[in-house]
Each structure stands twice: as structure tokens, then as C-alpha cells.
Amino acid sequence: MHTQVAIIGAGPAGLLLGRILQSHGIGTVILERRSRDYVLARVRAGMLEQGTVDTLREYGVAERLDEMGVAHPTMQFLWNGVRRDVPLEDEDGRRLTNYGQSYVVEDLIKHREADGLPIVFEAEVSSLDGIEDSPSVTYSVDGETKTLTCDFIAGCDGYLGVSRRSLPGAEAASYLKEFPFAWFGILAEATPNPHTRGFSNTPRGLAVSSARSATRSRLYLQVDPEFDITSMSDDEIWDELDRRLSDQDGNKVTRGPIIEKSVARLRAFVCEKMRHGKLAIAGDAAHIVPPSGAKGLNLAVGDVRLLGEAIRRHLLDKDDALLDDYSRLALERIWPTVHWSCLMSEAFHTFPGQTEFDTRRQHQTLDFWAHDEIGNRWFREAMLGLPYAV
Ligand code: RFL
């Protein structure tokens, strides 16, 4: 089989890149190691920057997002038991929107399938070859080994994928920071309580409460990296969320059936080499951020906007200038965003051995973002997202 662009991974990065290339008339095959059901059920991000919403609209995949997305004009911070509203909308009306990543993925898959374009599920890619001049991808499906030849490979296969490992020089250009905690996330059929939304800094650790839709809540607790997901009953989870999220007015989270639980280690990672020859990586394959900044999906969107245009010029105009500049331009958005996500983590979590002095410094940071004009402007700009290179 031959295609113009082989895309590895049917996460937001791979699926959106497929959609962007489709709009230029460029053929793609998406290879995804997981089943269709697994990909659709995977619960992750939920906070979309205005640029992400606009990009999904631009490529015609935002009908349901426009119907179901929940506007997020302010953000709530809770510390010392007091909840504060932090304005998030800017003068141009840019704001954040809550809409689950699983919905974004489902919208992209359904459009692709309706257009008759190929996604091969349960196709595990094992190696990439010929990336200097005549690329090919080896994968196995139904126990059979197959080869896909192509003009270009887009590695959108996440942090643990095969693409970055196949990119010469990537490892030497990679930087990793591990945080000493994890996030225990639950998804619940519970109408989000607007009075307990947001991020909470408490002596018991961080908690986060957000809306996935009008009837679904996504909540997180800071836990130890080795946390055992079976160690807390549902009632104990809700009690702990209430301890960390209740405020001066006694507002409590709305409870409901918990339909998903997961634990994620907090890491930050950047690979500065994002392209070699006819292989480029994008999204979590190239960088990951701690979820406290809510930036992973949004960064992936920025990457594939740029990469889609660079591949278009490479294949259709025979112009490699943008592709040659891909890593540099992408990193102009990536590093500040990774830095921001780390600052958010440092302001909200309880670190091992944390002293009262450290806690008071965290409160100073939160106070600056919430109440100081310059601090709030900085916070808003970071949360709303940096402009795109193209
Ligand atoms: P993905 O989504 O990991 O998709 C990669 C795909 O590649 C497939 N794959 C392979 N396929 C074939 N062959 C192989 N050898 C393969 N190896 C891997 C995988 O099965 C998968 O389907 O990466 P992508 O597309 O770059 O998207 C990145 C986002 O998923 C990620 O950054 C966000 O979920 C991060 N994130 C958040 N981002 C936000 O923008 N806003 C948020 O509010 C937000 N909250 C979060 C988050 C991530 C979290 N976790 C789970 C770490 C909250 C959490 C808890």
C-alpha cells in the first residue's frame, strides 16, 4: 500500500493533521494500535483554547463542539479555604471552552469515516525505515506484518510511541522533569456545581473540579505516584474531594455515578528535534506537560497546524523552507507553554517536605495571578494560549 503521508496515531494530533492535509487534497493513512472503541472511550483533556476551537471550526469539525462546549469565562482558585474568581476572557472575547478530548477525537473520526478516508485500527507500528528519502512504515494487523510506503511520515503516536525513537538525534535533544506526585482523575455523571469549580491548593494536596458537559464532571486529586486506584471507595473519593474543594460558603461538589477512574504521573518533557528527513513528530510524541496547565491537546493542535502547512509546501510546492524551520517555530510555542504548565503545578501541589514558608510563597503567586492587574494579564495570556506561527 502507498500513501502520500503515513500518520501514526489516531489521537487529536494525528486525526487533526489528517483533516488538515485532506483540505489540501493530500492523501493520508492513519495507523492506530488501539481499537476504535478504546480510542473513543479514552478520557483525557477537556479545556480548549480559543485557537483550538477556531481551528476545529476552520476545518469543519466543530458542529457538536458549538452545541455542547461549555464556556469558561473565569477560572476559580481556592486557597486558605476561600474561592476566588479569576477573570479569563480577554478584550477580544477569547476564552477557554470545556469540551472533552474524547468528543474531539470522536468528531474527527466520524468525519474521516464519513469521507471514506482510511484509519487502520489495531495496527501496531513497529518500525520506520528510509526516512532520508523513501520512507516506509512496518506495522502488524491481525497477526500479519504489512508495509506502508509513503512520501512523508508524521509521528503523532504519543509519548511512548515509536516515531521519536526512530528520529536520529532526538534522544540527545530531549529534556525531562518528573514531579513527585500523580493525578487521580474521575469522570462522573454529575451536573457540575459552578460553585466548586476550579483549582484548589490545600494542605492535603491539589484538587481540580471541571465540567465536561452540562451533565458530566471531571475531578482530580493529587495522589502519590504509587497510588493504588482500588484503595479508595467511591464515597471516600467524594469525601476527599469535598475536603479539598469546599469553600468559605460551604459549597460541596455534586455527587453522581463515577464512570471512569485513572491515574497519571506528572511529567514535563520536550524533544527539541522534531524533524529529520521525511519524518516529523507532533503532539505528545514531541512534548508532554503536567496537566495542571491544561495545555497538552492545545499544544498538539499548534504543532499540526504548522506541520500540515509545512508538509503541504513540501509535497505540493516543493518548498522545504517551512519544514526546515518546523522544530524552531514549534518550540517557540512549546517552551513557554511547558514553562507555564510547570509554574501552575508548582503553585498548586503540595510537595514532599513542603514547609509553611513554601506554602505562603505559593499563596503569593496565586494572589498575584488572581488580584494583581499585571499578574492577571500574564495569567490570562498564558491560559488563553500563544498565537500560532501559521
Ligand atoms: P495521544 O492522544 O497520546 O495519541 C497518540 C496515539 O498514538 C497511538 N500509538 C500508536 N499507534 C500505532 N502504532 C504505535 N506504535 C503507536 N504508539 C502509540 C496511541 O494509541 C494513541 O492513540 O497523543 P496526541 O495526539 O499528541 O494528543 C495529545 C493529548 O492526548 C494530550 O496532550 C492531552 O490529553 C493532555 N491533557 C490535557 N490537554 C489539554 O490541552 N487540556 C487539558 O485539560 C488536558 N488535561 C491531559 C489532561 C492529559 C492527562 N493525562 C492522561 C496525562 C488531563 C490528563 C489527566
Side-chain angles (χ1 to χ4, degrees):
M1 186 164 43
H2 183 86
T3 186
Q4 282 177 293
V5 180
I7 298 176
I8 308 171
L15 288 163
L16 181 60
L17 180 65
R19 184 81 184 165
I20 292 171
L21 294 176
Q22 178 190 354
S23 77
H24 299 306
I26 294 171
T28 57
V29 172
I30 299 181
L31 300 171
E32 166 58 51
R33 66 193 272 260
R34 299 289 191 177
S35 70
R36 186 178 187 278
D37 286 349
Y38 183 97
V39 170
L40 289 179
R42 197 164 41 194
V43 178
R44 280 183 168 183
M47 206 148 18
L48 309 185
E49 291 174 359
Q50 187 69 53
T52 297
V53 171
D54 292 344
T55 301
L56 294 169
R57 285 190 187 133
E58 186 180 339
Y59 291 99
V61 284
E63 305 92 346
R64 191 166 62 143
L65 160 62
D66 283 329
E67 241 171 68
M68 282 176 54
V70 179
H72 210 298
T74 61
M75 199 154 169
Q76 284 78 32
F77 283 179
L78 185 135
W79 75 93
N80 274 341
V82 179
R83 180 167 280 105
R84 284 89 164 171
D85 265 337
V86 187
L88 258 185
E89 210 165 81
D90 74 1
E91 303 80 14
D92 303 324
R94 287 194 310 151
R95 61 184 189 200
L96 294 177
T97 301
N98 270 129
Y99 185 69
Q101 174 169 329
S102 55
Y103 297 139
V104 173
V105 164
E106 185 179 338
D107 296 343
L108 285 160
I109 288 177
K110 288 196 166 156
H111 275 280
R112 188 170 174 92
E113 288 173 342
D115 293 338
L117 299 177
I119 309 185
V120 191
F121 288 102
E122 298 178 67
E124 170 119 28
V125 173
S126 53
S127 65
L128 315 181
D129 297 293
I131 59 170
E132 303 291 345
D133 46 16
S134 55
S136 66
V137 176
T138 305
Y139 64 101
S140 58
V141 66
D142 292 335
E144 220 185 298
T145 302
K146 298 193 173 184
T147 301
L148 174 65
T149 59
C150 55
D151 304 325
F152 199 88
I153 302 173
C156 303
D157 47 353
Y159 180 59
L160 299 172
V162 70
S163 304
R164 191 179 66 251
R165 281 183 273 130
S166 311
L167 202 145
E171 198 180 334
S174 292
Y175 303 90
L176 171 71
K177 177 176 177 66
E178 300 233 33
F179 289 90
F181 30 71
W183 275 25
F184 174 33
I186 63 162
L187 185 69
E189 293 288 5
T191 304
N193 178 356
H195 302 294
T196 58
R197 279 227 319 234
F199 283 71
S200 177
N201 167 309
T202 81
R204 302 179 70 85
L206 154 143
V208 181
S209 164
S210 64
R212 273 304 144 83
S213 71
T215 55
R216 278 195 177 172
S217 300
R218 180 76 167 151
L219 301 120
Y220 298 98
L221 290 169
Q222 173 187 347
V223 292
D224 284 339
E226 278 73 41
F227 176 76
D228 172 6
I229 208 162
T230 61
S231 65
M232 282 174 100
S233 69
D234 288 6
D235 281 342
E236 285 170 333
I237 296 169
W238 288 116
D239 289 347
E240 186 60 24
L241 284 164
D242 269 339
R243 268 182 221 113
R244 298 192 197 180
L245 286 162
S246 304
D247 60 11
Q248 70 277 20
D249 301 323
N251 289 306
K252 292 198 182 295
V253 290
T254 316
R255 300 187 180 198
I258 297 177
I259 53 175
E260 200 262 354
K261 297 178 185 174
S262 61
V263 179
R265 287 283 314 245
L266 261 72
R267 297 190 178 94
F269 170 83
V270 178
C271 171
E272 291 190 343
K273 179 131 195 243
M274 294 173 67
R275 181 244 167 174
H276 183 94
K278 300 197 173 195
L279 166 66
I281 54 175
D284 277 17
H287 42 75
I288 49 172
V289 282
S292 32
K295 291 295 182 189
L297 184 155
N298 294 300
L299 272 181
V301 169
D303 289 354
V304 298
R305 280 182 65 105
L306 181 60
L307 182 58
E309 178 60 16
I311 293 175
R312 185 193 72 73
R313 293 187 199 175
H314 167 69
L315 291 180
L316 303 187
D317 301 345
K318 308 292 173 219
D319 172 3
D320 280 358
L322 192 59
L323 199 53
D324 290 343
D325 231 8
Y326 169 60
S327 300
R328 188 187 67 78
L329 287 172
L331 287 164
E332 279 183 3
R333 246 186 138 250
I334 292 165
W335 266 120
T337 309
V338 169
H339 174 57
W340 168 255
S341 302
C342 291
L343 287 179
M344 280 288 280
S345 286
E346 285 151 12
F348 278 101
H349 292 88
T350 305
F351 283 72
Q354 179 158 324
T355 64
E356 261 309 309
F357 186 93
D358 301 326
T359 303
R360 278 170 165 65
R361 285 198 55 221
Q362 286 181 325
H363 294 174
Q364 284 302 309
T365 301
L366 297 176
D367 192 50
F368 180 59
W369 289 341
H371 297 132
D372 182 273
E373 198 187 320
I374 294 173
N376 181 247
R377 171 168 288 276
W378 186 46
F379 173 78
R380 266 187 296 150
E381 290 300 314
M383 284 309 296
L384 293 173
L386 297 171
Y388 298 124
V390 296

